[in-house]
Amino acid sequence: MQNTHTARPGALSFPKFGLLTSEQWLLGAHIITALAALSIGIFLGPFQVFRRAPALEWQIPVFTYYYQALTVHGVMNALFFTTFFIVGFSYFVVTRSLQRDMWSPKLAWTAYWSMLIGILLVLYALITNQANVLYTFYPSMIAHPTFYLGLVLLVVGTWIVTGNLFMTYSQWRKEHAGERVPLAVYATLVNFVIWTVSSIGVAIEVLFMLLPLSLGLTNTTDPQTARALFWFFGHPLVYFWLLPAYTSWYTMLPKQTNSTILSDPLARVAFLLFMLFSIPVGVHHMFTDPGVSAVMKGIHTVFTFVVVVPSFLTAFNIGAMLERAGRQRGATGIFDWLWKQDWQNPIIAAQLSGMLLFLAGGFSGIINASLTLNIALHNTSWIPAHFHQTLAGAVTMTYFGILYWLLPMIRGRKLYSTRVALWQVYTWLAGMAVFGHSYGAAGILGVPRRTDLGAAPYVNEAAIIHLNYSILAGVLLLISSVLLFVNIFGTLFFSKEVDATKPPIDTVAKTNSPLFLERWGFWLGVVLLLTIFAWGPVFAETIDFVNGFNAPGYRPESITPLP
């Protein structure tokens, strides 16, 4: 199927069903690359659980070194799978909602190749056992230079994506003065503002601290400053993952459940609040660190509680939408609309299951915002429990739901098996629920995270039952992972029936929300002011302004001092 251009530059005529050829190639490249990254990282997760369970203490297949496997699991899943998936999904949202091609298809492909080369460089460092620095990768551990070069190319690629998305929006805006942009596009633009601003911190860390140290161009670095720069990026990254899931819940799930959201303007306010308050919260990851004043920890505590507000707004808005859907399916009681949803549809079931896990993950996140509780729990397995209930819960399960309609559109064939998809969704839900409970309970009992418990001489006896209980989670998640890729390969190579999926996307904004919500320059200024207020004093406390941030005498053993 060929692109059909109208008289307006960049405008496209899209088919009612399926994708244009250009869409299939661009979206397919990103989604397939995302799934390739996931295939490397996802299967290492269950074996991490088996390794840490006292009843098993199994070695990890292929990646037998625990920290190598842990790094591959985190980097491939949390950095590369999510980024490629989000970029591909965002291209679909923007082009379909605005009914136009990207401002520059060449730039879109340039960004893809930049990110692809990035993932190959990172994989080289990981597979050759030269980058066991974990997903957070800040010092004191230092990786091979190709690891950092790969991360640089990933970030540069996403910056190109941001420019392309905003230029496409700007093109549309010139032709639609006074109109509101569709909600899905608004959410996507907000998401890339969050990513681009926050990724400046990690870009500085990598380019000016870690890469020179890895190359031997500098002899020392400052771990405290590096941690601050990473967490300037690291917590907003969570919202970069989350907002595409929210985009699906707000704009696509209503169509899939034959319902409508309660308030489009309220949804836009929620997204805007994420943009304003997602960056000034990262210090709660440093509550256990020296070098950050109690005042700044207190300020970031307040900001962390504030950023919960848009999630509560979302719970109210999406909850009302789901109640409407349930009542249309025959619900009459106060709460029976919850189980009157179409739980036999894997697209819907995956998103609803993600919401259920997000309830637990969200509340455990509020607990992490408390300074005293954070100090007690931050370096325990409580944090992986929280992290997996949010990222592997709300985010990943919603991505599964998106995948179950987007992949058939890309391939032009129906989903290989709805039954397999349902089993995959429910085994993932059960496995992640068990994992969250077992690791959360173990964390309360003091079991450390980031620790090769299979080689530890001592584990709290009271926690052993919870660590062994997590074996069930590992088995369920391993089964779910296999079912996921059975459906992926089945859809790509064995499905025969032609897909006739109608894209669940609006091309017109159904709202009279205030246009000032789209004053991007103004809101970006507010973001920068809040960021300076929240982070300026933190960096002033950590950076040695006399000798520079490479002044402290930390030197990794692998680095040869310059003459």
Side-chain angles (χ1 to χ4, degrees):
M1 189 177 297
Q2 300 299 317
N3 294 358
T4 305
H5 287 266
T6 66
R8 291 179 291 118
L12 289 177
S13 177
F14 289 91
K16 184 177 181 180
F17 304 106
L19 300 176
L20 298 173
T21 302
S22 57
E23 283 185 293
Q24 286 178 316
W25 280 102
L26 185 61
L27 301 185
H30 285 84
I31 299 302
I32 296 302
T33 306
L35 294 174
L38 183 66
S39 70
I40 298 170
I42 195 171
F43 290 104
L44 292 175
F47 289 97
Q48 301 273 337
V49 171
F50 301 152
R51 172 66 177 167
R52 288 170 59 91
L56 295 179
E57 298 180 4
W58 285 0
Q59 292 291 336
I60 299 168
V62 183
F63 297 87
T64 56
Y65 182 50
Y66 176 81
Y67 291 102
Q68 181 189 21
L70 182 58
T71 304
V72 173
H73 176 67
V75 170
M76 287 296 106
N77 288 352
L79 291 181
F80 283 100
F81 162 63
T82 56
T83 302
F84 275 97
F85 191 93
I86 290 167
V87 170
F89 179 62
S90 298
Y91 283 150
F92 172 82
V93 166
V94 170
T95 56
R96 278 303 178 115
S97 285
L98 300 185
Q99 293 288 285
R100 64 188 314 116
D101 202 355
M102 293 300 297
W103 177 69
S104 173
K106 289 183 179 179
L107 271 184
W109 281 108
T110 299
Y112 170 77
W113 287 112
S114 175
M115 295 190 296
L116 181 64
I117 295 171
I119 191 175
L120 294 176
L121 288 172
V122 168
L123 270 174
Y124 168 79
L126 292 171
I127 293 174
T128 58
N129 208 22
Q130 300 182 81
N132 303 320
V133 292
L134 308 186
Y135 137 78
T136 45
F137 67 78
Y138 42 69
S140 57
M141 295 177 288
I142 298 296
H144 189 272
T146 54
F147 180 83
Y148 301 117
L149 287 171
L151 293 178
V152 168
L153 289 174
L154 174 69
V155 172
V156 169
T158 59
W159 288 352
I160 295 171
V161 173
T162 301
N164 211 355
L165 290 172
F166 269 91
M167 288 304 297
T168 306
Y169 164 77
S170 177
Q171 221 176 28
W172 177 89
R173 171 56 63 205
K174 290 176 182 178
E175 300 168 2
H176 297 82
E179 293 183 29
R180 282 76 176 168
V181 74
L183 177 59
V185 179
Y186 184 81
T188 300
L189 296 176
V190 163
N191 200 30
F192 276 86
V193 169
I194 293 171
W195 167 268
T196 302
V197 173
S198 64
S199 61
I200 293 171
V202 78
I204 293 172
E205 179 197 10
V206 170
L207 282 174
F208 297 103
M209 300 182 75
L210 302 182
L211 185 57
L213 188 64
S214 180
L215 290 169
L217 301 176
T218 58
N219 294 332
T220 61
T221 194
D222 184 343
Q224 182 68 17
T225 301
R227 281 174 63 83
L229 286 167
F230 180 87
W231 288 119
F232 179 90
F233 156 81
H235 198 80
L237 174 62
V238 173
Y239 300 105
F240 179 65
W241 300 328
L242 180 62
L243 262 57
Y246 274 24
T247 302
S248 181
W249 297 355
Y250 272 116
T251 67
M252 299 173 182
L253 187 58
K255 292 180 177 296
Q256 291 155 349
T257 58
N258 195 30
S259 184
T260 56
I261 61 170
L262 179 68
S263 172
D264 183 296
L266 186 62
R268 292 170 192 259
V269 170
F271 284 115
L272 181 62
L273 290 176
F274 276 122
M275 188 172 80
L276 297 180
F277 293 106
S278 64
I279 298 174
V281 300
V283 166
H284 72 249
H285 289 274
M286 303 172 68
F287 280 170
T288 58
D289 288 14
V292 181
S293 68
V295 172
M296 293 315 301
K297 290 178 180 178
I299 288 172
H300 278 250
T301 296
V302 173
F303 276 128
T304 304
F305 282 120
V306 170
V307 83
V308 174
V309 172
S311 287
F312 279 123
L313 296 180
T314 297
F316 177 74
N317 212 343
I318 301 302
M321 180 273 292
L322 291 174
E323 182 176 359
R324 286 177 176 174
R327 300 210 180 281
Q328 288 178 1
R329 293 175 61 86
T332 56
I334 298 177
F335 296 114
D336 60 338
W337 54 270
L338 290 169
W339 53 85
K340 286 288 187 178
Q341 307 298 325
D342 188 3
W343 290 95
Q344 296 302 308
N345 183 336
I347 295 171
I348 295 172
Q351 296 178 80
L352 297 180
S353 298
M355 292 178 193
L356 292 176
L357 289 172
F358 195 54
L359 289 174
F363 282 114
S364 64
I366 295 173
I367 290 171
N368 296 337
S370 166
L371 177 61
T372 51
L373 292 174
N374 190 298
I375 289 173
L377 295 170
H378 195 78
N379 287 314
T380 73
S381 63
W382 172 275
I383 297 301
H386 157 71
F387 187 71
H388 281 76
Q389 286 174 326
T390 50
L391 173 57
V395 173
T396 304
M397 293 205 74
T398 300
Y399 290 5
F400 291 159
I402 295 170
L403 185 68
Y404 284 145
W405 60 261
L406 184 56
L407 188 65
M409 288 186 66
I410 293 171
R411 180 62 182 88
R413 296 288 184 270
K414 281 193 172 183
L415 186 67
Y416 179 67
S417 172
T418 298
R419 178 173 295 182
V420 169
L422 280 171
W423 275 102
Q424 186 272 318
V425 167
Y426 291 129
T427 50
W428 191 273
L429 171 63
M432 209 53 70
V434 172
F435 178 86
H437 178 267
S438 59
Y439 265 52
I444 292 173
L445 293 169
V447 171
R449 62 181 175 130
R450 296 173 168 172
T451 301
D452 185 4
L453 292 183
Y458 170 78
V459 177
N460 183 351
E461 290 187 5
I464 289 176
I465 185 174
H466 299 294
L467 293 172
N468 288 339
Y469 174 44
S470 71
I471 295 172
L472 174 60
V475 171
L476 288 169
L477 292 169
L478 183 58
I479 292 171
S480 184
S481 300
V482 171
L483 293 176
L484 173 68
F485 280 92
V486 165
N487 233 344
I488 289 170
F489 280 101
T491 303
L492 291 176
F493 300 110
F494 300 106
S495 182
K496 301 298 183 183
E497 193 173 350
V498 175
D499 177 64
T501 301
K502 185 177 180 181
I505 199 84
D506 283 323
T507 57
V508 178
K510 300 175 181 179
T511 180
N512 290 317
S513 64
L515 276 173
F516 72 78
L517 294 177
E518 293 182 45
R519 292 179 58 187
W520 298 103
F522 172 79
W523 293 117
L524 183 59
V526 176
V527 169
L528 295 177
L529 286 175
L530 289 171
T531 300
I532 291 170
F533 173 75
W535 280 102
V538 174
F539 289 115
E541 292 166 355
T542 60
I543 296 175
D544 183 338
F545 286 96
V546 177
N547 301 301
F549 56 41
N550 288 325
Y554 167 74
R555 179 184 294 116
E557 294 179 1
S558 61
I559 302 299
T560 303
L562 292 174

